Amino acid sequence: MKRRILAYFMRMLTAAVALTTVLMTLVTYGMFERRMIEDLSVDAQVLHPLLDSSDAGRVMDELNGALRVTIIGEDGVVRYDNCSDASRMDNHLNRPEVAQALKTGEGSDVRDSQTMDTSTFYYATRLEDGSVLRVAKEASSIFSIYLNALPLILLVMAMMIAVSFFAAHLLTDRLVDPIRRLTADMDGEHSAASYPELQPFMRTIRSQHEEILKSADMRVEFTANVSHELKTPLTSISGYAELIESGMAQGEQAQRFAGEIHKSANRLLTLINDIIKLSQMDAPEHRIEREVVDLGQIAEGTVNQLRISAEKMNVTLTTDVKPGLVSADKGMMEELIYNLCDNAIRYNVRGGSVRVEVRPVRERVLLVVQDTGIGIGREHQERVFERFYRVDKSRSKATGGTGLGLAIVKHIAAQHDANITMESEPGSGTTITVSFERVTR
Ligand code: ADP
């Protein structure tokens, strides 16, 4: 990060210095050029009256080459030059300043020398007799000015680089410091006092951190609960087996104890099955295999598996299902419907009833499981979806409950983006509705 900021700074500063140097020189040199031409025009004005006077020769000597003076005829032939032999000079008709002077009365031009290190400034003015008076001066070219300024420019750049090093260092520290503080102290309050651009990031990190902590807590709690739940049936298995082993239970009693062992073993199996289901669904790589299924058809099939246990409990089981297509994992749908109906039967009263309904409503397909059972008090309604939460532990256990059924239901619904609503009144019954997104084939 520091290196990137530094590189960025350097690029920016180098560009800024280079651009400023070029622009400044261009502007200054432009001004200098105009000044030179103006000066030359004044020189020409001063020289002009002297040309025909007797002083002309002395003036030229005094100039001593500092100012080049040339007189060119209308035809371009050089008539006089104070620096070279006029007769050997070529026709000047094509020189821009001369051509311009012949045309408009005055003209100027700047030409670089072959070595590029000097420039010659020319100013020409037309005289009354039609000939042209041209004055010229040499000066450093813009190129050589750059060349001369190069050490200075390099020095400035070096200073800029030093400044960027310092600034990049400072800036990176400022940028990174709140993050460093957050890392060191996730729950601390002072890291909130960083700059506003970082706030969303801080919030996300902190809430993720909280989530991780929460889920770790939940896992610890779940493990503790599981161990506890497994312990009870195992203790009774061990106890009954010991009694049989020692010969203390015999005949009919031994048979009864074996039955208890059998029951506890079955309990363990259902419990472990539920735990496996939940942990499979919890696994990050778990993917549900969706297909378009008819929830009505699945409900019908699942309800039929429960007819015997409904009869045993003396509960009437009725269905009212219409076709309702949803995109879902078929096995999970069976599991969800089974758990809801199983509860509706187990927490019912003798002579009560359970009604299972599937019905498409606009864009949704509703699964409604309604019972006339014992109901759930308001204070328990949220919590019954938690793992191992039971309102009446002994009733749950007596009917083969694990305390995981509704947790599995909630999990499956969440993975299918389905909503669960519960209405319940202790003593009159419970209605649980799961709403799925409807699909059309
Ligand atoms: P369990 O295996 O104990 O039935 P669940 O997770 O399925 O566990 O349900 C949690 C608790 O919610 C149950 O122990 C019971 O107290 C209550 N419950 C669930 N469904 C019903 C229902 N239809 N009527 C009354 N109570 C219910």
Side-chain angles (χ1 to χ4, degrees):
M1 184 66 175
K2 199 175 275 188
R3 275 171 61 174
R4 264 164 61 183
I5 292 180
L6 184 67
Y8 178 73
F9 263 30
M10 302 256 255
R11 273 203 302 276
M12 228 166 64
L13 285 172
T14 314
V17 171
L19 205 71
T20 316
T21 320
V22 169
L23 281 178
M24 284 300 286
T25 324
L26 276 180
V27 169
T28 326
Y29 199 75
M31 275 159 63
F32 170 71
E33 229 175 67
R34 272 198 302 281
R35 256 311 277 285
M36 281 292 276
I37 301 291
E38 260 166 46
D39 284 358
L40 284 171
S41 85
V42 174
D43 289 343
Q45 266 173 39
V46 175
L47 269 175
H48 182 199
L50 293 171
L51 283 180
D52 294 330
S53 74
S54 50
D55 286 339
R58 191 178 54 78
V59 171
M60 287 306 151
D61 285 345
E62 249 168 53
L63 285 176
N64 198 18
L67 187 70
R68 185 174 180 188
V69 182
T70 319
I71 295 171
I72 303 132
E74 242 174 313
D75 49 6
V77 175
V78 179
R79 291 206 208 132
Y80 169 78
D81 192 287
N82 66 339
C83 293
S84 21
D85 185 356
S87 62
R88 304 178 91 172
M89 288 167 72
D90 53 356
N91 193 292
H92 270 39
L93 213 53
N94 286 334
R95 303 291 154 98
E97 71 282 4
V98 177
Q100 210 181 336
L102 283 170
K103 211 163 127 196
T104 64
E106 63 172 354
S108 64
D109 194 27
V110 185
R111 289 196 283 278
D112 292 330
S113 70
Q114 248 158 15
T115 49
M116 298 286 285
D117 56 348
T118 56
S119 299
T120 311
F121 294 78
Y122 296 97
Y123 173 80
T125 177
R126 195 174 57 202
L127 305 176
E128 300 84 54
D129 62 356
S131 63
V132 170
L133 165 63
R134 184 183 78 172
V135 285
K137 231 185 224 171
E138 265 192 359
S140 310
S141 71
I142 190 160
F143 183 72
S144 71
I145 289 175
Y146 274 133
L147 220 59
N148 286 334
L150 201 61
L152 194 73
I153 294 172
L154 288 179
L155 183 77
V156 170
M157 289 232 186
M159 273 161 62
M160 291 293 187
I161 288 168
V163 169
S164 357
F165 257 115
F166 187 67
H169 189 79
L170 210 75
L171 194 67
T172 329
D173 272 359
R174 280 265 180 88
L175 284 173
V176 174
D177 200 48
I179 303 173
R180 206 177 297 156
R181 265 185 294 164
L182 179 73
T183 321
D185 178 19
M186 278 285 187
D187 313 309
E189 278 312 303
H190 56 258
S191 48
S194 64
Y195 46 94
E197 288 86 345
L198 208 61
Q199 290 296 330
F201 170 73
M202 294 283 213
R203 265 200 297 276
T204 312
I205 292 284
R206 196 162 301 144
S207 74
Q208 273 177 5
H209 178 66
E210 277 165 15
E211 243 164 65
I212 291 167
L213 286 180
K214 213 159 72 192
S215 90
D217 277 355
M218 271 169 65
R219 210 157 296 182
V220 170
E221 196 189 309
F222 183 64
T223 314
N225 279 332
V226 166
S227 317
H228 183 78
E229 296 287 334
L230 293 177
K231 209 176 148 183
T232 325
L234 274 175
T235 311
S236 83
I237 288 175
S238 170
Y240 285 126
E242 197 183 358
L243 286 177
I244 298 173
E245 186 187 31
S246 65
M248 269 168 67
Q250 274 173 0
E252 229 170 80
Q253 205 185 22
Q255 214 166 14
R256 198 168 60 80
F257 287 176
E260 290 296 332
I261 291 175
H262 189 191
K263 221 162 79 189
S264 291
N266 275 341
R267 230 193 107 54
L268 274 178
L269 277 178
T270 17
L271 193 62
I272 287 168
N273 264 331
D274 277 359
I275 293 166
I276 289 173
K277 272 177 220 151
L278 268 177
S279 63
Q280 273 173 351
M281 284 191 279
D282 273 342
E285 69 274 9
H286 174 74
R287 299 197 69 239
I288 55 172
E289 276 168 34
R290 285 185 184 229
E291 53 183 327
V292 176
V293 291
D294 178 3
L295 203 62
Q297 204 185 339
I298 297 175
E300 198 75 74
T302 310
V303 166
N304 280 334
Q305 293 173 27
L306 283 158
R307 294 231 177 258
I308 295 167
S309 52
E311 264 167 41
K312 266 191 209 158
M313 300 280 296
N314 200 10
V315 167
T316 327
L317 190 52
T318 57
T319 55
D320 176 9
V321 300
K322 299 191 175 60
L325 296 186
V326 295
S327 161
D329 184 309
K330 189 163 179 256
M332 285 181 150
M333 289 302 105
E334 285 168 354
E335 177 79 28
L336 179 141
I337 298 168
Y338 188 96
N339 286 352
L340 289 178
C341 296
D342 187 38
N343 281 352
I345 295 167
R346 282 166 43 229
Y347 301 105
N348 220 310
V349 291
R350 294 201 76 78
S353 66
V354 173
R355 206 177 104 90
V356 179
E357 193 186 338
V358 172
R359 121 180 93 97
V361 177
R362 287 189 294 273
E363 302 304 308
R364 313 290 294 178
V365 177
L366 303 186
L367 164 77
V368 185
V369 179
Q370 189 176 21
D371 66 60
T372 57
I374 58 171
I376 304 168
R378 183 155 292 281
E379 69 276 24
H380 301 293
Q381 288 182 10
E382 282 271 324
R383 302 208 60 195
V384 288
F385 291 95
E386 290 173 17
R387 296 172 182 195
F388 296 119
Y389 188 88
R390 296 143 164 135
V391 179
D392 179 349
K393 206 160 187 159
S394 54
R395 178 165 184 150
S396 163
K397 283 191 175 169
T399 54
T402 59
L404 293 173
L406 287 183
I408 294 172
V409 167
K410 183 181 165 187
H411 217 312
I412 293 175
Q415 292 197 328
H416 287 82
D417 302 310
N419 302 318
I420 304 178
T421 49
M422 172 190 274
E423 276 170 68
S424 189
E425 187 72 49
S428 57
T430 306
T431 305
I432 295 181
T433 307
V434 190
S435 154
F436 295 87
E437 195 183 333
R438 187 183 175 191
V439 297
T440 42
R441 211 192 289 268

